[in-house]
Amino acid sequence: DRDVTGVQTCALPISDAVVVAASVDDLAAAVTVAARHGWPVQVQNTGHGPSVRTRGGVLLRVDGLTSIDVDTHRKAVRVEPGAQRGQLVAACSEHGLAPLGMASVATVGVIGYTIGGGMGPLARQQGYAADHVQQFEVVTPAGELITVDADHAPELFWALRGGRLGLGVVASMTLPLIPEPTLYTARLTYPRPTVASALQAYAQWRERLGGRTSSVATLFRFPDSDL
């Protein structure tokens, strides 16, 4: 068995192991070795959001794969699985462009957020981030790197845009770009005793919103506080 970024795979016991990927070849090698031994594979970038807990498998860390390639001619951007939303927006903003379906939190992983659906501040106007993906590069469970789009493996392309888990390891994703928009944001916070009336008022206000405004209501429980 080959050495994958410093982890000698032939010496791995049947227990939890971590592979820190430094290249797409590392992704393919880790998946190939895991498949050979029947180990489940989990992929992690930022750790934002829940995932399926596994035992005796391989945790594949992709946060070192952060390449972002902006194509101003095609108005598209290719991102690797370690890229975060803040990095993506900054790279595109240098050219006066922005990705469709961008997240509202800078530290969210771009690919994990997108293949889970991806509802951001432009969702009401433009739909989910997954709706706009042009292409994936995917490491299959057999360790093969394939291109996935509307013409190549269309069923997998459909499933990846919202299916998120168990379909392969996404090595890159290509998204379209639009002229950088101007966004206006605000947050209102209410204490716990007023939650019911605040939610009722929010529901009424939301009914009057036009198609250009996105909104969300969130309930937080603060520790050691009556708020």
Side-chain angles (χ1 to χ4, degrees), residues 24 27 78-81 111 135-138 145 169-174:
V24 173
L27 299 180
R78 178 186 177 275
V79 297
E80 289 190 338
I111 288 181
Q135 187 180 85
F136 294 103
E137 288 182 302
V138 180
L145 181 67
V169 177
V170 178
S172 77
M173 178 178 69
T174 302

Side-chain angles (χ1 to χ4, degrees), residues 143-170:
E144 180 185 5
L145 181 67
I146 63 173
T147 296
V148 178
D149 57 28
D151 298 317
H152 304 87
E155 292 184 353
L156 179 57
F157 183 60
W158 173 85
L160 281 169
R161 292 177 297 148
R164 189 175 184 181
L165 299 176
L167 299 169
V169 177
V170 178

